[in-house]
Amino acid sequence: MFVTLGTLAEERGTDSAGLAFLGAWPGLGGSAVGCRVVRGRGRFSEIWHPAYLAELDRTPVVLGHTRWATQGSPLDPGNASPMAVSGAAADPSIGPSAGIVATHNGDIDAADLRARFAPPPASGTTDSEPIFQLLAGCRTSAEVTGLLETLVGRVALAWVHRDRPTEVHLARGALSPLTVAVDTDQNIYWASNPRWFREAERHTRVQFVSVVMLREGTYLKVGMERRPGRRDLPDVLATANFVPTARDTDMDPRVWTGFTRSDRECDQAGLRHRAIRRPGGTGELVTVA
């Protein structure tokens, strides 16, 4: 299923792609806090290799990503995702975080974000990396949603803290779509386009009991309890809402590339972000309902 979704996601980007394996099931070998990231230029199907199947089977969480470059050269492999980044803690007295592995679909005002928070120097030139650096220091849902409300632009995110590899954080800010699905074995999947899950059902043995497009301003934490010798099932651990903000120029039909007409219209009917206009360098907020 993971490979099928990754291949379908190529319709939303072929500049680069990658995948990350996080943790290991008890008793199946590998480190419980291990992390392996594979990424490079080109299509997901060019990055994926059957040799990864054994690791895929023993890994509780896998992130995949395809990229259509907006900010940051597609020629630089360091700009590909998933990205592994470290970050300072929100409370300096706690000490630095172990870092996160993350993906971002969208395009945000990175200069504004850097000016407001002064994250550590970046290793690449994308708008995604400063988001990840700041998320790495968030320890509570309130800190996460507080940061997400400061982002201006299109954003859908998935990330995992390296010291908590069985918990996945998902967030949809303004516009960039994010769909979450659950199969009959209670495995949880996420992807941009709900159509991909219907396609996947036709080409695999997996059947879904739920496929839901998240509304803008939704944050979810899903994960499993870690108990010795047990392979626990994933569940929703936390939810929260926030008010996302986009630029007035972010409303682009390409946001819904590959969507069926009914899926696109359903998603557009539920948009609720604020749109910011900056004529002459000043800001004006308009709510999109």
Side-chain angles (χ1 to χ4, degrees):
M1 175 55 66
F2 173 77
V3 180
T4 299
L5 290 173
T7 303
L8 288 167
E10 290 179 352
E11 70 180 14
R12 294 186 66 88
T14 57
D15 288 329
S16 62
L19 55 151
F21 303 95
L22 293 119
W25 291 112
L28 294 183
S31 169
V33 295
C35 170
R36 182 186 183 194
V37 178
V38 180
R39 56 185 182 160
R41 291 175 56 189
R43 297 175 176 272
F44 179 88
S45 54
E46 296 169 344
I47 304 300
W48 171 260
H49 193 279
Y52 301 141
L53 279 172
E55 196 164 3
L56 182 64
D57 286 341
R58 67 172 179 259
T59 302
V61 174
V62 184
L63 300 180
H65 190 257
T66 63
R67 180 174 186 241
W68 170 42
T70 52
Q71 299 181 46
S73 170
L75 303 180
D76 182 354
N79 289 332
S81 285
M83 287 186 189
V85 303
S86 58
D91 181 352
S93 67
I94 298 175
S97 72
I100 66 173
V101 181
T103 66
H104 165 221
N105 287 336
D107 176 44
I108 68 150
D109 186 342
D112 175 73
L113 190 66
R114 290 189 176 98
R116 295 173 73 171
F117 293 100
S123 60
T125 54
T126 69
D127 56 326
S128 305
E129 192 171 357
I131 304 175
F132 302 158
Q133 290 172 320
L134 294 168
L135 283 173
C138 293
R139 297 178 182 272
T140 67
S141 295
E143 290 174 355
V144 170
T145 54
L147 173 62
L148 294 174
E149 286 202 339
T150 69
L151 304 180
V152 178
R154 300 185 296 264
V155 58
L157 297 157
W159 72 98
V160 178
H161 286 265
R162 296 186 64 171
D163 57 355
R164 299 191 297 279
T166 59
E167 295 178 358
V168 180
H169 302 259
L170 303 170
R172 182 186 182 185
L175 292 168
S176 291
L178 183 58
T179 303
V180 177
V182 180
D183 70 14
T184 52
D185 292 325
Q186 291 186 251
N187 295 305
I188 299 177
Y189 305 83
W190 56 93
S192 298
N193 193 333
R195 192 198 88 243
W196 297 344
F197 295 104
R198 299 192 293 269
E199 293 279 342
E201 280 190 318
R202 289 195 285 269
H203 298 287
T204 71
R205 297 178 180 178
V206 176
Q207 297 294 307
F208 295 102
V209 296
S210 174
V211 177
V212 178
M213 284 189 287
L214 298 186
R215 291 197 67 185
E216 291 180 315
T218 300
Y219 162 68
L220 293 177
K221 180 169 72 170
V222 299
M224 298 158 286
E225 296 182 45
R226 293 196 61 85
R227 303 178 192 177
R230 289 190 53 170
R231 179 169 174 154
D232 293 327
L233 296 174
D235 199 1
V236 176
L237 304 179
T239 64
N241 296 314
F242 60 97
V243 180
T245 301
R247 300 155 295 198
D248 58 330
T249 55
D250 285 323
M251 183 68 83
D252 187 319
R254 290 174 294 181
V255 167
W256 296 277
T257 293
F259 272 51
T260 64
R261 179 178 178 178
S262 60
D263 286 337
R264 182 183 70 249
E265 291 177 348
C266 178
D267 192 50
Q268 290 175 341
L271 296 181
R272 54 183 178 180
H273 64 269
R274 300 182 302 173
I276 186 168
R277 301 189 184 118
R278 293 175 174 170
T282 61
E284 176 187 355
L285 287 177
V286 179
T287 298
V288 176

